[in-house]
């Protein structure tokens, strides 16, 4: 897995319909960063919607802080705010997903 060159951060408040066009313009990864999700189910639904919008046009999807939901939703990786370095457990999970 290579490091994305251009990353787009999104939350539920963003216009997600713009994502396929952003990917076509050069964004190669989208990071779901939602601090105000009312519950895990809504965060998982957001993640799955983002994946459905960008994966067909070639982008990868990362989720902030929630390894459990990243695995459940099929994300390509997790951004751990506690550590900006990719540790071996994240690397293994990223490849397994």
């Amino acid at each position: 897995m290579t490091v994305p060159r251009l990353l787009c951060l999104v939350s539920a408040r963003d216009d997600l319909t713009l994502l396929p066009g952003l990917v076509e313009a050069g964004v190669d990864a989208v990071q779901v960063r939602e601090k105000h999700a009312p519950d895990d189910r809504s965060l998982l639904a957001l993640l799955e919607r983002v994946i459905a919008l960008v994966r067909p046009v070639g982008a990868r999807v990362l989720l902030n802080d929630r390894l459990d939901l990243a695995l459940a939703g099929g994300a390509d990786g997790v951004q751990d705010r506690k550590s900006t370095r990719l540790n071996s457990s994240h690397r293994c999970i990223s490849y397994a997903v």
Side-chain angles (χ1 to χ4, degrees):
M1 176 183 260
T2 59
V3 175
R5 295 169 301 153
L6 186 57
L7 178 75
C8 177
L9 297 175
V10 298
S11 72
R13 293 173 302 284
D14 294 313
D15 182 356
L16 301 179
T17 63
L18 299 174
L19 288 176
L22 290 171
V23 173
E24 290 172 358
V27 169
D28 54 353
V30 176
Q31 183 173 326
V32 177
R33 185 174 185 256
E34 181 56 65
K35 293 183 176 184
H36 305 291
D39 53 38
D40 289 353
R41 184 170 293 167
S42 60
L43 181 55
L44 185 59
L46 173 61
L47 173 64
E48 290 171 340
R49 181 164 182 225
V50 170
I51 289 171
L53 287 166
V54 303
R55 200 169 274 158
V57 287
R60 291 177 288 168
V61 178
L62 306 172
L63 180 64
N64 257 41
D65 299 327
R66 294 295 304 269
L67 179 59
D68 58 337
L69 294 182
L71 286 169
D76 298 297
V78 175
Q79 191 275 332
D80 181 3
R81 68 183 162 143
K82 295 178 185 96
S83 170
T84 56
R85 293 181 300 150
L86 189 66
N87 66 35
S88 59
S89 63
H90 286 108
R91 203 171 340 336
C92 291
I93 297 302
S94 293
Y95 288 119
V97 174

Coordinates of all heavy atoms in Angstrom, one line a residue:
M1 N 0.8 -1.2 0.0 CA 0.0 0.0 0.0 C 0.9 1.2 0.0 O 1.8 1.4 0.8 CB -0.9 0.0 1.2 CG -1.8 1.2 1.4 SD -2.7 1.2 2.9 CE -4.3 0.7 2.2
T2 N 0.6 2.2 -0.9 CA 1.4 3.4 -1.0 C 0.7 4.5 -0.2 O -0.5 4.4 0.0 CB 1.6 3.8 -2.4 OG1 0.3 4.0 -3.0 CG2 2.4 2.8 -3.2
V3 N 1.5 5.5 0.2 CA 0.9 6.6 0.9 C 0.1 7.5 -0.1 O 0.6 7.8 -1.2 CB 2.0 7.4 1.6 CG1 1.5 8.7 2.2 CG2 2.7 6.6 2.6
P4 N -1.1 7.9 0.2 CA -1.8 8.8 -0.7 C -1.1 10.1 -1.0 O -0.5 10.6 -0.1 CB -3.2 9.0 0.0 CG -3.3 7.9 1.0 CD -1.9 7.6 1.4
R5 N -1.2 10.5 -2.2 CA -0.6 11.8 -2.6 C -1.5 13.0 -2.2 O -1.0 14.1 -1.8 CB -0.3 11.9 -4.1 CG 0.7 10.9 -4.5 CD 0.7 10.8 -6.0 NE -0.6 10.4 -6.5 CZ -1.2 10.7 -7.6 NH1 -0.5 11.4 -8.5 NH2 -2.4 10.3 -7.9
L6 N -2.8 12.8 -2.4 CA -3.8 13.9 -2.1 C -4.9 13.3 -1.3 O -5.6 12.4 -1.8 CB -4.2 14.5 -3.4 CG -5.1 15.8 -3.3 CD1 -4.4 16.9 -2.5 CD2 -5.4 16.3 -4.7
L7 N -5.2 13.8 -0.1 CA -6.2 13.2 0.8 C -7.3 14.3 1.0 O -7.0 15.5 1.2 CB -5.5 12.9 2.1 CG -6.3 12.4 3.3 CD1 -6.7 11.0 3.0 CD2 -5.6 12.5 4.6
C8 N -8.5 13.8 1.0 CA -9.6 14.7 1.3 C -10.3 14.3 2.6 O -10.6 13.1 2.7 CB -10.6 14.6 0.1 SG -12.1 15.6 0.3
L9 N -10.5 15.2 3.5 CA -11.2 14.9 4.7 C -12.7 15.2 4.6 O -13.1 16.2 4.0 CB -10.7 15.7 5.9 CG -9.2 15.5 6.3 CD1 -8.8 16.6 7.3 CD2 -9.0 14.2 6.8
V10 N -13.6 14.3 5.0 CA -15.0 14.5 4.9 C -15.7 14.1 6.2 O -15.2 13.3 7.0 CB -15.6 13.7 3.8 CG1 -15.1 14.1 2.4 CG2 -15.5 12.2 4.0
S11 N -16.9 14.7 6.4 CA -17.7 14.4 7.5 C -19.2 14.4 7.0 O -19.4 14.6 5.8 CB -17.6 15.5 8.6 OG -18.2 16.7 8.2
A12 N -20.1 14.1 7.8 CA -21.5 14.0 7.4 C -22.1 15.3 7.0 O -23.0 15.4 6.2 CB -22.3 13.4 8.6
R13 N -21.4 16.4 7.4 CA -21.9 17.7 7.0 C -21.5 18.1 5.6 O -21.9 19.2 5.1 CB -21.4 18.8 8.0 CG -22.1 18.5 9.4 CD -21.5 19.4 10.5 NE -20.1 19.3 10.7 CZ -19.5 18.2 11.3 NH1 -20.2 17.3 11.8 NH2 -18.2 18.2 11.5
D14 N -20.6 17.4 5.0 CA -20.1 17.7 3.6 C -21.0 17.2 2.6 O -21.8 16.3 2.8 CB -18.7 17.2 3.5 CG -17.7 17.8 4.4 OD1 -17.7 19.0 4.5 OD2 -16.9 17.1 5.0
D15 N -20.9 17.8 1.4 CA -21.7 17.4 0.2 C -20.9 16.2 -0.4 O -20.0 16.4 -1.2 CB -21.8 18.5 -0.8 CG -22.6 18.1 -2.0 OD1 -23.0 16.9 -2.1 OD2 -22.9 19.0 -2.8
L16 N -21.3 15.0 0.0 CA -20.6 13.8 -0.5 C -20.7 13.5 -1.9 O -19.9 12.8 -2.5 CB -21.0 12.6 0.4 CG -20.8 12.8 1.9 CD1 -21.3 11.5 2.6 CD2 -19.3 13.0 2.2
T17 N -21.7 14.1 -2.6 CA -21.9 13.9 -4.0 C -20.7 14.5 -4.8 O -20.5 14.1 -6.0 CB -23.2 14.5 -4.5 OG1 -23.2 15.9 -4.4 CG2 -24.4 13.9 -3.8
L18 N -19.9 15.4 -4.2 CA -18.8 15.9 -4.9 C -17.6 15.0 -5.0 O -16.6 15.2 -5.7 CB -18.3 17.2 -4.2 CG -19.4 18.4 -4.2 CD1 -18.9 19.5 -3.4 CD2 -19.7 18.8 -5.6
L19 N -17.6 13.9 -4.1 CA -16.4 13.1 -4.0 C -16.0 12.4 -5.3 O -14.8 12.4 -5.6 CB -16.7 12.0 -2.9 CG -16.6 12.6 -1.5 CD1 -17.0 11.5 -0.5 CD2 -15.3 13.2 -1.2
P20 N -16.9 11.8 -6.1 CA -16.4 11.1 -7.3 C -15.6 12.1 -8.2 O -14.6 11.8 -8.8 CB -17.6 10.6 -8.0 CG -18.6 10.4 -6.8 CD -18.3 11.5 -5.9
G21 N -16.1 13.3 -8.3 CA -15.4 14.3 -9.1 C -14.1 14.7 -8.6 O -13.1 14.9 -9.3
L22 N -14.0 14.8 -7.2 CA -12.7 15.1 -6.6 C -11.7 14.0 -6.9 O -10.5 14.2 -7.1 CB -12.9 15.3 -5.1 CG -13.6 16.6 -4.7 CD1 -13.9 16.6 -3.2 CD2 -12.8 17.8 -5.1
V23 N -12.1 12.7 -6.8 CA -11.2 11.6 -7.1 C -10.8 11.7 -8.6 O -9.6 11.5 -8.9 CB -11.9 10.3 -6.8 CG1 -11.1 9.1 -7.3 CG2 -12.2 10.2 -5.3
E24 N -11.7 12.0 -9.5 CA -11.3 12.1 -10.9 C -10.3 13.2 -11.1 O -9.5 13.2 -12.0 CB -12.6 12.2 -11.7 CG -13.4 10.9 -11.8 CD -14.7 11.1 -12.5 OE1 -15.1 12.2 -12.9 OE2 -15.4 10.1 -12.6
A25 N -10.4 14.2 -10.2 CA -9.5 15.4 -10.4 C -8.1 15.1 -9.7 O -7.2 16.0 -9.8 CB -10.1 16.6 -9.8
G26 N -8.0 14.0 -9.0 CA -6.6 13.7 -8.4 C -6.6 13.2 -7.0 O -5.6 12.8 -6.5
V27 N -7.7 13.4 -6.3 CA -7.7 12.9 -4.9 C -7.6 11.4 -4.9 O -8.4 10.7 -5.6 CB -9.0 13.4 -4.2 CG1 -9.1 12.7 -2.8 CG2 -9.0 14.9 -4.0
D28 N -6.6 10.8 -4.2 CA -6.5 9.3 -4.3 C -6.9 8.6 -2.9 O -6.8 7.4 -2.8 CB -5.2 8.9 -4.7 CG -4.0 9.5 -4.0 OD1 -4.2 10.3 -3.1 OD2 -2.9 9.1 -4.3
A29 N -7.3 9.4 -1.9 CA -7.8 8.9 -0.7 C -8.7 9.8 0.0 O -8.6 11.1 -0.1 CB -6.6 8.6 0.3
V30 N -9.7 9.3 0.7 CA -10.7 10.1 1.4 C -10.7 9.6 2.8 O -10.8 8.4 3.1 CB -12.1 9.9 0.8 CG1 -13.1 10.7 1.6 CG2 -12.1 10.4 -0.7
Q31 N -10.6 10.5 3.8 CA -10.6 10.2 5.2 C -11.9 10.6 5.8 O -12.2 11.8 5.8 CB -9.4 10.9 5.9 CG -9.2 10.5 7.3 CD -8.0 11.1 7.9 OE1 -7.0 11.2 7.2 NE2 -8.0 11.5 9.1
V32 N -12.6 9.7 6.4 CA -13.8 10.0 7.1 C -13.5 10.4 8.5 O -12.9 9.6 9.3 CB -14.8 8.8 7.1 CG1 -16.1 9.1 7.9 CG2 -15.1 8.4 5.6
R33 N -13.8 11.6 8.8 CA -13.5 12.2 10.1 C -14.8 12.8 10.7 O -15.1 14.0 10.4 CB -12.4 13.3 9.9 CG -11.9 13.9 11.2 CD -10.7 14.8 10.9 NE -10.2 15.3 12.2 CZ -10.3 16.5 12.6 NH1 -11.1 17.3 12.0 NH2 -9.8 16.8 13.8
E34 N -15.5 12.1 11.4 CA -16.8 12.5 12.0 C -16.8 12.5 13.5 O -16.8 11.4 14.1 CB -17.9 11.6 11.4 CG -19.3 12.0 11.9 CD -19.6 13.4 11.6 OE1 -19.8 13.8 10.4 OE2 -19.8 14.2 12.6
K35 N -16.7 13.7 14.1 CA -16.6 13.7 15.6 C -17.9 13.8 16.2 O -18.0 13.6 17.4 CB -15.8 15.0 16.0 CG -14.4 15.0 15.6 CD -13.7 16.2 16.1 CE -12.2 16.2 15.8 NZ -11.5 17.3 16.3
H36 N -19.0 14.0 15.5 CA -20.3 14.2 16.1 C -21.3 13.2 15.7 O -22.5 13.5 15.7 CB -20.8 15.6 15.7 CG -19.8 16.7 16.1 ND1 -19.6 17.0 17.4 CD2 -19.1 17.5 15.4 CE1 -18.7 18.0 17.5 NE2 -18.3 18.3 16.2
A37 N -20.9 12.0 15.3 CA -21.8 10.9 14.9 C -22.6 10.6 16.2 O -22.1 10.4 17.3 CB -21.1 9.7 14.4
P38 N -24.0 10.5 16.0 CA -24.8 10.2 17.2 C -24.6 8.7 17.8 O -24.7 8.5 18.9 CB -26.2 10.3 16.7 CG -26.1 10.3 15.2 CD -24.8 10.7 14.9
D39 N -24.1 7.8 16.9 CA -23.9 6.5 17.3 C -23.0 5.7 16.3 O -22.7 6.3 15.2 CB -25.2 5.7 17.5 CG -26.1 5.8 16.3 OD1 -25.6 5.7 15.2 OD2 -27.3 5.9 16.5
D40 N -22.6 4.5 16.6 CA -21.7 3.8 15.7 C -22.4 3.4 14.4 O -21.8 3.4 13.4 CB -21.3 2.5 16.4 CG -20.3 2.7 17.5 OD1 -19.8 3.8 17.7 OD2 -20.0 1.7 18.2
R41 N -23.7 3.2 14.5 CA -24.5 2.8 13.3 C -24.4 3.9 12.2 O -24.2 3.7 11.0 CB -25.9 2.4 13.6 CG -26.7 1.9 12.4 CD -28.0 1.3 12.9 NE -27.7 0.1 13.6 CZ -28.5 -0.5 14.3 NH1 -29.8 -0.1 14.4 NH2 -28.2 -1.6 15.0
S42 N -24.6 5.1 12.7 CA -24.6 6.3 11.7 C -23.2 6.5 11.2 O -23.0 6.9 10.0 CB -25.2 7.5 12.3 OG -24.4 7.9 13.5
L43 N -22.1 6.3 12.0 CA -20.8 6.5 11.5 C -20.4 5.4 10.5 O -19.8 5.6 9.4 CB -19.8 6.4 12.7 CG -18.3 6.6 12.3 CD1 -18.0 7.8 11.5 CD2 -17.5 6.5 13.6
L44 N -20.9 4.1 10.7 CA -20.7 3.1 9.8 C -21.4 3.3 8.5 O -20.9 3.1 7.4 CB -21.1 1.7 10.4 CG -20.9 0.5 9.6 CD1 -19.4 0.3 9.3 CD2 -21.5 -0.7 10.4
A45 N -22.6 3.9 8.6 CA -23.4 4.2 7.4 C -22.7 5.3 6.6 O -22.6 5.2 5.3 CB -24.8 4.7 7.7
L46 N -22.1 6.3 7.2 CA -21.3 7.3 6.5 C -20.1 6.7 5.8 O -19.8 7.0 4.7 CB -20.9 8.4 7.5 CG -20.0 9.5 7.0 CD1 -20.6 10.2 5.9 CD2 -19.5 10.4 8.1
L47 N -19.4 5.9 6.5 CA -18.2 5.2 6.0 C -18.6 4.4 4.7 O -18.0 4.5 3.7 CB -17.6 4.3 7.0 CG -16.4 3.4 6.5 CD1 -15.3 4.2 6.0 CD2 -16.0 2.4 7.6
E48 N -19.7 3.6 4.8 CA -20.1 2.8 3.7 C -20.5 3.6 2.5 O -20.3 3.3 1.4 CB -21.2 1.8 4.1 CG -20.7 0.8 5.1 CD -21.8 -0.1 5.7 OE1 -23.0 0.4 5.8 OE2 -21.4 -1.2 6.2
R49 N -21.2 4.8 2.8 CA -21.6 5.7 1.7 C -20.4 6.3 1.0 O -20.3 6.3 -0.3 CB -22.5 6.8 2.2 CG -22.9 7.7 1.1 CD -24.1 8.6 1.5 NE -24.4 9.4 0.4 CZ -24.7 10.7 0.4 NH1 -24.7 11.3 1.6 NH2 -25.0 11.4 -0.6
V50 N -19.4 6.7 1.7 CA -18.2 7.2 1.2 C -17.5 6.2 0.3 O -17.0 6.4 -0.8 CB -17.2 7.8 2.2 CG1 -15.9 8.2 1.7 CG2 -17.9 9.0 2.9
I51 N -17.4 5.0 0.8 CA -16.7 3.9 0.1 C -17.5 3.6 -1.2 O -16.8 3.5 -2.3 CB -16.7 2.6 0.9 CG1 -15.7 2.7 2.1 CG2 -16.4 1.4 0.1 CD1 -15.7 1.6 3.1
A52 N -18.8 3.6 -1.2 CA -19.6 3.4 -2.4 C -19.4 4.5 -3.4 O -19.4 4.2 -4.6 CB -21.1 3.3 -2.0
L53 N -19.1 5.7 -3.0 CA -18.9 6.8 -3.9 C -17.5 6.9 -4.5 O -17.4 7.3 -5.7 CB -19.2 8.1 -3.2 CG -20.7 8.4 -2.9 CD1 -20.8 9.6 -1.9 CD2 -21.4 8.8 -4.2
V54 N -16.5 6.5 -3.8 CA -15.1 6.8 -4.3 C -14.4 5.5 -4.7 O -13.5 5.6 -5.5 CB -14.3 7.6 -3.2 CG1 -15.0 8.9 -2.9 CG2 -14.0 6.8 -2.0
R55 N -14.7 4.4 -4.2 CA -13.9 3.2 -4.5 C -14.1 2.9 -6.0 O -13.1 2.5 -6.7 CB -14.3 2.0 -3.7 CG -13.2 1.0 -3.7 CD -13.3 -0.1 -2.7 NE -12.7 0.3 -1.4 CZ -13.0 -0.2 -0.3 NH1 -14.0 -1.2 -0.2 NH2 -12.4 0.1 0.8
P56 N -15.3 3.0 -6.6 CA -15.5 2.7 -8.0 C -14.6 3.6 -9.0 O -14.3 3.2 -10.1 CB -17.0 2.9 -8.3 CG -17.6 2.7 -7.0 CD -16.6 3.2 -6.0
V57 N -14.3 4.8 -8.5 CA -13.5 5.7 -9.3 C -12.0 5.7 -8.8 O -11.2 6.5 -9.3 CB -14.0 7.1 -9.3 CG1 -15.3 7.2 -10.2 CG2 -14.3 7.6 -7.9
G58 N -11.6 4.7 -8.0 CA -10.2 4.5 -7.7 C -9.6 5.0 -6.5 O -8.4 5.0 -6.3
A59 N -10.4 5.5 -5.5 CA -9.8 6.1 -4.3 C -9.9 5.1 -3.1 O -10.8 4.3 -3.1 CB -10.4 7.4 -3.9
R60 N -9.0 5.2 -2.2 CA -9.0 4.5 -1.0 C -9.7 5.3 0.1 O -9.8 6.5 0.0 CB -7.6 4.1 -0.5 CG -7.0 3.1 -1.4 CD -5.6 2.8 -1.0 NE -4.8 4.0 -1.4 CZ -3.6 4.2 -1.0 NH1 -3.0 3.3 -0.2 NH2 -2.9 5.3 -1.3
V61 N -10.2 4.6 1.2 CA -10.9 5.2 2.2 C -10.3 4.9 3.6 O -10.1 3.7 3.9 CB -12.4 4.9 2.2 CG1 -13.2 5.5 3.4 CG2 -13.1 5.2 0.9
L62 N -10.1 5.9 4.4 CA -9.6 5.8 5.7 C -10.6 6.3 6.7 O -11.4 7.1 6.4 CB -8.3 6.6 5.9 CG -7.2 6.4 4.9 CD1 -6.1 7.4 5.2 CD2 -6.6 5.0 5.1
L63 N -10.6 5.7 7.9 CA -11.5 6.1 8.9 C -10.7 6.6 10.1 O -9.7 6.0 10.5 CB -12.5 5.0 9.4 CG -13.5 5.3 10.5 CD1 -14.5 6.4 10.0 CD2 -14.2 4.1 10.9
N64 N -11.1 7.7 10.7 CA -10.4 8.2 11.9 C -10.8 7.4 13.2 O -11.9 7.1 13.5 CB -10.9 9.6 12.2 CG -9.9 10.7 11.8 OD1 -9.3 10.5 10.7 ND2 -9.7 11.7 12.6
D65 N -9.7 6.9 13.8 CA -9.8 6.4 15.2 C -10.5 5.1 15.5 O -10.4 4.6 16.6 CB -10.3 7.5 16.1 CG -9.5 8.7 16.2 OD1 -8.2 8.6 16.0 OD2 -10.0 9.8 16.3
R66 N -11.3 4.6 14.6 CA -12.2 3.5 14.9 C -11.8 2.3 14.1 O -12.4 2.0 13.0 CB -13.6 3.9 14.6 CG -14.2 4.9 15.6 CD -14.2 4.5 17.0 NE -15.0 3.3 17.2 CZ -16.3 3.2 17.5 NH1 -17.0 4.3 17.6 NH2 -16.9 2.1 17.6
L67 N -10.9 1.5 14.5 CA -10.4 0.3 13.9 C -11.6 -0.7 13.7 O -11.7 -1.3 12.7 CB -9.3 -0.3 14.6 CG -8.7 -1.6 14.1 CD1 -8.2 -1.4 12.6 CD2 -7.6 -2.1 14.9
D68 N -12.4 -0.8 14.8 CA -13.5 -1.8 14.7 C -14.5 -1.5 13.6 O -14.9 -2.4 12.8 CB -14.2 -1.8 16.1 CG -14.8 -0.5 16.5 OD1 -14.3 0.6 16.1 OD2 -15.7 -0.4 17.3
L69 N -14.8 -0.2 13.4 CA -15.8 0.2 12.4 C -15.1 0.2 11.0 O -15.8 -0.1 10.0 CB -16.4 1.5 12.7 CG -17.3 1.6 13.9 CD1 -17.9 3.0 14.0 CD2 -18.4 0.6 13.8
A70 N -13.8 0.5 11.0 CA -13.1 0.4 9.7 C -13.1 -1.0 9.2 O -13.3 -1.3 8.0 CB -11.6 0.9 9.9
L71 N -12.9 -2.0 10.0 CA -12.9 -3.4 9.6 C -14.4 -3.8 9.2 O -14.6 -4.5 8.2 CB -12.5 -4.3 10.8 CG -11.0 -4.3 11.0 CD1 -10.6 -5.0 12.3 CD2 -10.2 -4.9 9.9
A72 N -15.3 -3.4 10.0 CA -16.7 -3.8 9.7 C -17.2 -3.2 8.4 O -18.0 -3.8 7.7 CB -17.6 -3.3 10.9
G73 N -16.8 -1.9 8.1 CA -17.3 -1.2 7.0 C -16.4 -1.5 5.7 O -16.8 -1.0 4.6
G74 N -15.3 -2.1 5.9 CA -14.4 -2.4 4.7 C -13.5 -1.2 4.3 O -13.1 -1.1 3.1
A75 N -13.1 -0.4 5.2 CA -12.2 0.7 4.9 C -10.8 0.2 4.6 O -10.5 -1.0 4.9 CB -12.1 1.7 6.1
D76 N -10.1 1.0 3.9 CA -8.7 0.6 3.5 C -7.7 0.8 4.6 O -6.6 0.3 4.5 CB -8.3 1.3 2.3 CG -9.2 1.0 1.1 OD1 -9.2 -0.1 0.7 OD2 -9.9 1.9 0.6
G77 N -8.0 1.6 5.6 CA -7.1 1.9 6.7 C -7.7 2.7 7.8 O -8.9 3.1 7.7
V78 N -6.9 3.0 8.8 CA -7.4 3.8 9.9 C -6.3 4.8 10.2 O -5.1 4.6 10.2 CB -7.5 2.9 11.2 CG1 -7.9 3.7 12.4 CG2 -8.6 1.8 11.0
Q79 N -6.8 6.1 10.5 CA -5.9 7.1 10.9 C -6.0 7.2 12.4 O -7.1 7.5 12.9 CB -6.2 8.4 10.3 CG -5.1 9.5 10.5 CD -5.3 10.3 11.8 OE1 -6.3 10.5 12.3 NE2 -4.2 10.8 12.3
D80 N -5.0 6.9 13.2 CA -5.0 6.9 14.6 C -4.4 8.3 15.1 O -3.3 8.6 15.0 CB -4.1 5.8 15.1 CG -4.1 5.7 16.7 OD1 -4.8 6.5 17.3 OD2 -3.4 4.8 17.2
R81 N -5.3 9.1 15.7 CA -4.9 10.4 16.1 C -3.9 10.4 17.2 O -3.2 11.4 17.5 CB -6.1 11.3 16.4 CG -6.8 10.9 17.7 CD -8.0 11.7 17.9 NE -8.8 11.0 18.9 CZ -9.5 11.6 19.8 NH1 -9.5 12.9 19.9 NH2 -10.3 10.9 20.6
K82 N -3.8 9.3 17.9 CA -2.8 9.2 19.0 C -1.4 9.0 18.5 O -0.5 9.3 19.2 CB -3.2 8.1 20.0 CG -4.5 8.3 20.6 CD -4.9 7.1 21.5 CE -6.2 7.3 22.1 NZ -7.3 6.6 21.3
S83 N -1.3 8.6 17.3 CA 0.0 8.4 16.7 C 0.0 8.6 15.2 O -0.8 8.0 14.5 CB 0.5 6.9 16.9 OG 1.6 6.6 16.2
T84 N 0.8 9.5 14.8 CA 0.8 9.8 13.3 C 1.6 8.8 12.6 O 1.6 8.8 11.4 CB 1.3 11.2 13.1 OG1 2.6 11.4 13.6 CG2 0.4 12.3 13.6
R85 N 2.4 8.0 13.3 CA 3.2 7.0 12.6 C 2.3 5.7 12.5 O 1.5 5.3 13.3 CB 4.4 6.6 13.5 CG 5.4 7.8 13.5 CD 6.6 7.4 14.3 NE 6.2 7.0 15.7 CZ 6.9 6.2 16.4 NH1 7.9 5.6 16.0 NH2 6.4 5.9 17.6
L86 N 2.5 5.1 11.3 CA 1.8 3.8 11.1 C 2.5 2.7 11.8 O 3.7 2.4 11.4 CB 1.8 3.6 9.5 CG 0.9 2.4 9.0 CD1 -0.5 2.8 9.3 CD2 1.2 2.2 7.6
N87 N 1.9 2.1 12.8 CA 2.6 1.0 13.5 C 2.2 -0.3 12.8 O 1.4 -0.4 11.9 CB 2.2 1.0 15.0 CG 0.8 0.7 15.3 OD1 0.2 -0.1 14.6 ND2 0.2 1.4 16.3
S88 N 2.9 -1.4 13.3 CA 2.7 -2.7 12.6 C 1.3 -3.2 12.7 O 0.8 -3.8 11.7 CB 3.7 -3.7 13.2 OG 3.5 -3.8 14.6
S89 N 0.6 -2.9 13.7 CA -0.8 -3.5 13.8 C -1.7 -2.8 12.8 O -2.5 -3.4 12.2 CB -1.4 -3.3 15.2 OG -1.5 -1.9 15.6
H90 N -1.5 -1.5 12.6 CA -2.3 -0.8 11.6 C -1.9 -1.3 10.2 O -2.8 -1.4 9.3 CB -2.0 0.7 11.6 CG -2.7 1.4 12.8 ND1 -2.0 1.8 13.9 CD2 -4.0 1.7 13.1 CE1 -2.8 2.4 14.7 NE2 -4.0 2.3 14.3
R91 N -0.7 -1.5 10.0 CA -0.2 -2.0 8.6 C -0.9 -3.3 8.3 O -1.4 -3.5 7.2 CB 1.3 -2.1 8.6 CG 1.8 -2.0 7.2 CD 3.3 -1.9 7.1 NE 4.1 -1.5 8.0 CZ 4.6 -0.8 9.1 NH1 4.4 -0.5 9.6 NH2 5.3 -0.5 9.9
C92 N -0.9 -4.2 9.3 CA -1.5 -5.5 9.1 C -3.0 -5.4 8.8 O -3.5 -6.1 7.9 CB -1.3 -6.4 10.3 SG 0.4 -6.9 10.6
I93 N -3.7 -4.6 9.6 CA -5.1 -4.4 9.4 C -5.4 -3.8 8.1 O -6.3 -4.2 7.3 CB -5.7 -3.6 10.5 CG1 -5.5 -4.3 11.9 CG2 -7.1 -3.2 10.3 CD1 -6.2 -5.6 12.0
S94 N -4.6 -2.8 7.7 CA -4.8 -2.1 6.4 C -4.7 -3.1 5.2 O -5.5 -3.1 4.3 CB -3.8 -1.0 6.2 OG -4.0 0.0 7.1
Y95 N -3.7 -4.0 5.3 CA -3.6 -5.0 4.2 C -4.7 -6.0 4.3 O -5.1 -6.5 3.3 CB -2.2 -5.6 4.2 CG -1.1 -4.7 3.8 CD1 -0.1 -4.3 4.6 CD2 -1.2 -4.1 2.5 CE1 0.9 -3.5 4.3 CE2 -0.2 -3.2 2.1 CZ 0.9 -2.9 3.0 OH 1.8 -2.1 2.6
A96 N -5.1 -6.4 5.5 CA -6.2 -7.4 5.6 C -7.5 -6.9 5.1 O -8.3 -7.7 4.6 CB -6.3 -7.8 7.1
V97 N -7.8 -5.7 5.3 CA -9.1 -5.1 4.9 C -9.1 -5.1 3.4 O -9.8 -5.5 2.7 CB -9.3 -3.7 5.4 CG1 -10.5 -3.0 4.9 CG2 -9.3 -3.7 6.9

